[in-house]
Amino acid sequence: MIRFSLRCEQDHEFEGWFRNNDDFDTQVEKHFVSCPLCNSHKVEKALMAPSVATSRRQEKIAIAMSKMASELREMAKKVRENSDYVGSDFAEEARKIHFGEAEQRGIYGEATRDEVESLVDDGVDVMPLPVFPDDHN
């Protein structure tokens, strides 16, 4: 689908969606396209600026990504400060906590993809903890 900016003979501007240019031409020729304000069938495509990422937009995206990375880094830091590191025993320890066989507490460590999938299948809530280049366990 292509979105066109359209203009009628009264200079009213509006938008329309079409499969392609030929579809637009056919619909205009058959008077299927009309201005929603004045109902004129004399409609043509208006100039339309392409949707490109401007340097200002790219700057906003970069700032947002930097802020998210900072927030993720802070969240990971708080988890590490307030949880027990259990290393490669993570899956086993998480399952014990979930089933009441070990003390309820926050933990973090390493787990394989299969171990994580098994934990999820058992109803254990887990999430990946982001690791940044300057993080230390």
Side-chain angles (χ1 to χ4, degrees):
M1 297 292 283
I2 301 173
R3 181 184 63 168
F4 289 124
S5 289
L6 305 174
R7 181 180 306 130
C8 74
E9 64 184 334
Q10 301 293 322
D11 277 339
H12 298 135
E13 293 187 7
F14 57 101
E15 294 179 349
W17 289 87
F18 302 89
R19 283 182 293 187
N20 52 40
N21 279 315
D22 292 338
D23 187 39
F24 169 77
D25 292 338
T26 300
Q27 289 190 38
V28 167
E29 186 178 298
K30 293 183 178 184
H31 299 286
F32 291 160
V33 180
S34 63
C35 174
L37 297 173
C38 67
N39 208 31
S40 171
H41 292 282
K42 292 186 180 181
V43 175
E44 61 184 23
K45 293 181 216 169
L47 287 178
M48 191 169 153
S51 178
V52 295
T54 63
S55 61
R56 177 105 170 113
R57 182 171 176 230
Q58 289 172 338
E59 182 181 339
K60 285 181 182 180
I61 291 169
I63 290 169
M65 289 178 69
S66 176
K67 183 178 178 189
M68 283 191 296
S70 177
E71 290 171 353
L72 282 171
R73 183 183 302 272
E74 186 61 31
M75 183 265 315
K77 179 181 174 189
K78 285 181 181 180
V79 168
R80 287 185 181 94
E81 289 173 351
N82 297 295
S83 302
D84 294 333
Y85 177 70
V86 294
S88 61
D89 294 332
F90 177 80
E92 180 182 342
E93 193 64 24
R95 193 172 275 106
K96 285 180 183 177
I97 292 169
H98 178 74
F99 290 112
E101 299 168 7
E103 149 193 15
Q104 185 79 24
R105 68 194 195 284
I107 62 170
Y108 70 102
E110 288 84 38
T112 66
R113 181 183 190 100
D114 288 342
E115 289 173 328
V116 170
E117 288 175 359
S118 178
L119 288 169
V120 170
D121 288 344
D122 287 345
V124 180
D125 291 330
V126 295
M127 67 175 265
L129 187 62
V131 176
F132 295 91
D134 59 347
D135 286 347
H136 304 285
N137 285 333

